[in-house]
Amino acid sequence: MGRRIGWLIALALLTAAEPGRGTLDAFADAVVERARPHLSPARDLDVAVAVTGPWPRLGGDLTALLIARLRALGLRSVAAGDGDAAWARAAGYERLVRLDLDVGGGRLRAQGSVVALSSSPWAPAQETRAHLYVETPLDAELRAYLPAV
């Protein structure tokens, strides 16, 4: 009997230690799923990520989540950038993922693009490969990022 209780306590502690997936995590996953088809071959690409919006902490956290998820896809390198295609091209990146965040009507929206960058003089300097759009309802987690009203 005591042994069973010990196992139940251990199981409860293990499941409690595993955090649930938050809304911002799911939002980052949705962005990556929409961008993923335009980031291949993954092992050969260097990608810059730029998230802009009026809430720096939200943009910074979303940038960090996107970078982690894109690295998990097997991209050669992923780093935060400022959204300037000329800078990204000069720094050696082949793709730029740009997102602009907005809140309205009780929803968080991200719209942006995946831009292919070329260093070849015979190819366009940049080419939009995909337009990205993701939205989700604001919940307590996302409202915590917004300024107090």
Side-chain angles (χ1 to χ4, degrees):
M1 181 76 170
R3 193 177 219 181
R4 284 187 190 172
I5 291 174
W7 281 109
L8 286 174
I9 291 172
L11 181 61
L13 290 174
L14 284 174
T15 57
E18 190 175 310
R21 228 171 70 116
T23 308
L24 194 58
D25 289 301
F27 195 76
D29 289 341
V31 170
V32 169
E33 279 306 307
R34 283 164 180 74
R36 183 181 195 164
H38 310 284
L39 298 172
S40 63
R43 69 180 186 283
D44 296 333
L45 289 178
D46 299 310
V47 178
V49 176
V51 178
T52 59
W55 310 279
R57 200 172 113 231
L58 175 61
D61 287 356
L62 182 58
T63 299
L65 288 170
L66 291 172
I67 288 171
R69 279 153 175 81
L70 291 171
R71 284 181 180 159
L73 290 179
L75 293 164
R76 185 169 48 199
S77 70
V78 184
D82 65 359
D84 180 38
W87 169 85
R89 190 174 38 260
Y93 293 102
E94 286 94 16
R95 298 286 188 281
L96 174 60
V97 177
R98 279 192 272 213
L99 289 176
D100 294 316
L101 299 178
D102 184 37
V103 172
R107 302 184 73 75
L108 172 64
R109 294 178 188 85
Q111 39 189 350
S113 57
V114 176
V115 179
L117 306 170
S118 174
S119 59
S120 169
W122 295 280
Q126 61 184 27
E127 175 187 345
T128 301
R129 292 286 174 95
H131 293 284
L132 306 173
Y133 183 81
V134 178
E135 72 175 5
T136 190
L138 288 176
D139 64 358
E141 176 189 353
L142 295 175
R143 287 185 199 281
Y145 284 101
L146 305 180
V149 180

